[in-house]
Amino acid sequence: MPHRPDGQPLFCAVALAERIERAEAQLITESSEAARRRRPGATGFATPLAGGVASFADEGSPLNKIVGLGFAGAPEAADLDEVERAFAACGSPVQVELAHLADPAVGELLTGRGYRLMSFENVLGRVLEGCPDQTRPPGVEVRPSGDDEFELWLDVVFDGFAHPDTQGVPSHEDFPREVLADAVRDMAASGVRRYLALCDGSVAGGASMRTADGVAQLTGAATAPAHRRRGVQSALLAARLADAVTAGCDIAVVTTQPGSTSQQNAQRQGFDLLYTRAVLVKHA
């Protein structure tokens, strides 16, 4: 179980990183499978690869990538050949998100095959103990969001994502609304739960979370620009952490761009930087 002594940063051993990456691979696998159910007869795959998974869900989808490598040895060259051919057949580059705590042999293998470093992302974590404080700012309410509110939830999240951080390393990816909507629907099939935040009765923000193997994956949060600096993000976080504790999780994790406002806010809320993922891409 992760343990953080008072005042000390959470230390991430390889075993903890492996558990987080395993949860990520499971999320991508189940979401990719949901995408294929949504599009019967369409091309797609979620192929196990050296402890991780290679996924193609849909054209332009954020679920098209390889995750979880490096904790069960390096993939065999023949297996990578097959995966690369599968991505090429779908007209997609191959993107690998590789944790820096993974086996270094994987990075050497990928760069030797022509993969190029495109970006980084940070994984932060917070130990869950007891019931997190759910004190909320006046006028702010957070509640689960049902399927009948999907478009409402998506509107506020997409509005928030359309006005991203200007601080830190920018993301190398940008997704159209319809592509993001399909990916979110597919992720919901893997157990991702959605939350809405309201300010004085008006929809102000949205967030999501998935729990697996004791890990609470905070899979996104956004506040509409008109409602920022009202404590919406803190309220969304508190609600999710409380649900994560109820679900038996011992750690919550969030992924951010390096040096971003999102990372800064997460660290202010008790999250520590655990490890970084290198984003490597190979074009056909």
Side-chain angles (χ1 to χ4, degrees):
M1 173 177 177
H3 178 63
R4 174 180 172 170
D6 289 344
Q8 297 299 315
L10 173 61
F11 173 73
C12 185
V14 171
L16 176 56
E18 180 180 4
R19 181 152 68 104
I20 295 169
E21 291 296 292
R22 187 167 60 245
E24 181 73 6
Q26 185 184 68
L27 167 63
I28 298 302
T29 298
E30 295 179 3
S31 301
S32 184
E33 291 170 348
R36 293 196 299 285
R37 291 194 299 271
R38 176 174 52 81
R39 306 179 304 124
T43 301
F45 54 85
T47 303
L49 182 67
V53 65
S55 160
F56 181 88
D58 200 353
E59 183 177 355
S61 173
L63 303 171
N64 300 344
K65 55 188 176 182
I66 299 175
V67 300
L69 291 184
F71 296 95
E76 297 292 335
D79 293 334
L80 268 177
D81 287 341
E82 183 177 349
V83 163
E84 290 170 0
R85 285 194 295 269
F87 276 104
C90 295
S92 173
V94 190
Q95 176 169 306
V96 180
E97 295 175 359
L98 182 65
H100 88 267
L101 289 173
D103 187 339
V106 178
E108 181 180 5
L109 173 65
L110 295 176
T111 54
R113 294 176 67 95
Y115 287 77
R116 297 183 62 185
L117 179 64
M118 296 294 293
S119 186
F120 297 95
E121 58 185 34
N122 286 338
V123 178
L124 296 93
R126 170 175 161 170
V127 169
L128 298 177
E129 296 177 331
C131 185
D133 181 15
Q134 290 202 69
T135 303
R136 292 176 186 148
V140 177
E141 174 194 356
V142 176
R143 59 174 175 78
S145 177
D147 290 341
D148 59 330
E149 295 179 315
F150 179 80
E151 293 299 332
L152 179 66
W153 180 90
L154 186 65
D155 282 344
V156 70
V157 169
F158 200 81
D159 188 24
F161 287 166
H163 299 81
D165 291 346
T166 56
Q167 175 179 307
V169 178
S171 174
H172 72 293
E173 297 178 299
D174 185 28
F175 302 104
R177 187 185 191 282
E178 60 274 15
V179 171
L180 181 62
D182 285 340
V184 170
R185 286 189 178 94
D186 297 334
M187 290 170 67
S190 73
V192 171
R193 292 177 273 181
R194 297 185 297 273
Y195 297 77
L196 272 178
L198 296 88
C199 276
D200 300 323
S202 299
V203 175
S208 58
M209 178 182 73
R210 176 180 180 272
T211 60
D213 192 24
V215 179
Q217 296 169 282
L218 307 183
T219 48
T223 304
H227 295 281
R228 290 177 179 173
R229 297 177 179 84
R230 292 281 305 274
V232 172
Q233 286 281 353
S234 295
L236 285 165
L237 175 64
R240 289 179 292 169
L241 294 185
D243 285 353
V245 170
T246 300
C249 295
D250 62 310
I251 187 168
V253 296
V254 62
T255 301
T256 71
Q257 288 300 115
S260 63
T261 301
S262 295
Q263 179 182 341
Q264 186 176 38
N265 289 341
Q267 292 189 224
R268 285 172 175 164
Q269 293 164 333
F271 285 77
D272 293 308
L273 178 60
L274 301 182
Y275 58 92
T276 296
R277 294 181 183 131
V279 181
L280 301 125
V281 177
K282 181 178 182 179
H283 292 275

